Amino acid sequence: SMSAPGPGVFDYFAGEILDRAAPAHREVMLRTALLTEITRDAAIALTGRADASEVLEDLHRRQYFTDRRAGSTPTWRYHDLFREFLQAQLSLSADPDTLARLRRQAGALLADTGAPGDAVMLYRQASDWEAIGALIRSHAAALMAAGRWQTLAGWFEGLPISAHRAEPWVLFWWAVCRIMTDPKDAQTLLTEAFEAFGAAGDTNGQFHAALAQAEVVFVLG
């Protein structure tokens, strides 16, 4: 039976595609690889090129590891290995400041198109803790209501402790995530959150923190 090609073989083919592309098209490929789902508007925003989607369409037509989903607005998607390859090439070719800026920009585009989890990953690579905090604040309640506390807890990964405490609501949601895994720690954090809400004059926040504290007491039995 034929085994799947190893990464070396894949990198060879992917490298051939990249090397044969015109420099401007290569730039489009490298930058759009930051996005999971690529729309025409997102491609233009990230590359500054009006013809960005034509490059993607060309890759799709040539069957170069690029899928297109038709719809009211078509979206393109790189195969996972190809996307990883392109991202690695981007990391090698862009200077750190440009790379961080592109990741933040791509993160904002993904957050806007309803892919906050993908946005969090890019913000983490760009060390943009404030942007992650904003996503936690806007999505945490919906994630918790859907029983997706593990997803929310994952968004906190890599966040420095100072970022947890930068904003009362971020601290509150961190505490709520901890209820399941370490209720004692959650209790301490909720007390801290309650006080932070009080200092900020946020009575709604205080109410939520007190409610969560009652839940911890119940969990601890």
Side-chain angles (χ1 to χ4, degrees):
S1 67
M2 272 187 68
S3 60
V9 176
F10 181 82
D11 285 358
Y12 170 76
F13 284 116
E16 287 284 292
I17 293 170
L18 199 59
D19 290 343
R20 288 178 186 176
H25 290 188
R26 193 177 303 152
E27 193 66 14
V28 169
M29 291 158 71
L30 295 180
R31 290 185 176 206
T32 53
L34 291 170
L35 303 167
T36 27
E37 301 275 339
I38 315 162
T39 60
R40 180 177 176 274
D41 291 348
I44 292 170
L46 206 51
T47 63
R49 294 187 62 90
D51 66 346
S53 63
E54 287 159 37
V55 176
L56 295 163
E57 191 47 43
D58 185 52
L59 289 168
H60 168 67
R61 199 170 48 243
R62 292 169 187 253
Q63 298 182 318
Y64 283 168
F65 312 117
T66 309
D67 296 320
R68 170 157 56 80
R69 217 180 40 224
S72 50
T73 57
T75 57
W76 293 267
R77 194 183 183 116
Y78 294 121
H79 293 201
D80 291 344
L81 273 178
F82 191 44
R83 184 165 174 249
E84 276 172 37
F85 170 83
L86 292 173
Q87 284 191 3
Q89 295 299 316
L90 179 66
S91 303
L92 292 170
S93 63
D95 65 272
D97 288 348
T98 304
L99 193 58
R101 181 177 57 76
L102 287 171
R103 282 171 171 161
R104 281 197 302 271
Q105 197 181 354
L109 289 164
L110 285 168
D112 285 349
T113 55
D118 294 325
V120 167
M121 284 169 68
L122 284 168
Y123 286 143
R124 190 180 291 135
Q125 290 175 326
S127 303
D128 193 335
W129 315 125
E130 219 173 295
I132 293 177
L135 283 176
I136 288 168
R137 291 200 306 274
S138 53
H139 292 277
L143 286 170
M144 289 303 292
R148 295 177 59 197
W149 68 272
Q150 280 157 310
T151 299
L152 181 60
W155 290 12
F156 280 95
E157 270 170 38
L159 225 63
I161 295 299
S162 59
H164 287 179
R165 294 188 161 82
E167 218 275 343
W169 279 105
V170 176
L171 179 61
F172 168 77
W173 288 117
W174 171 238
V176 168
C177 285
R178 299 291 286 158
I179 293 173
M180 304 295 185
T181 52
D182 188 344
K184 271 265 183 279
D185 186 38
Q187 209 165 25
T188 309
L189 292 168
L190 284 167
T191 302
E192 206 181 308
F194 184 87
E195 286 164 7
F197 282 130
D202 187 341
T203 48
N204 178 42
Q206 283 189 303
F207 171 73
H208 277 81
L211 207 60
Q213 275 178 316
E215 200 178 314
V216 177
V217 171
F218 182 74
V219 169
L220 287 169

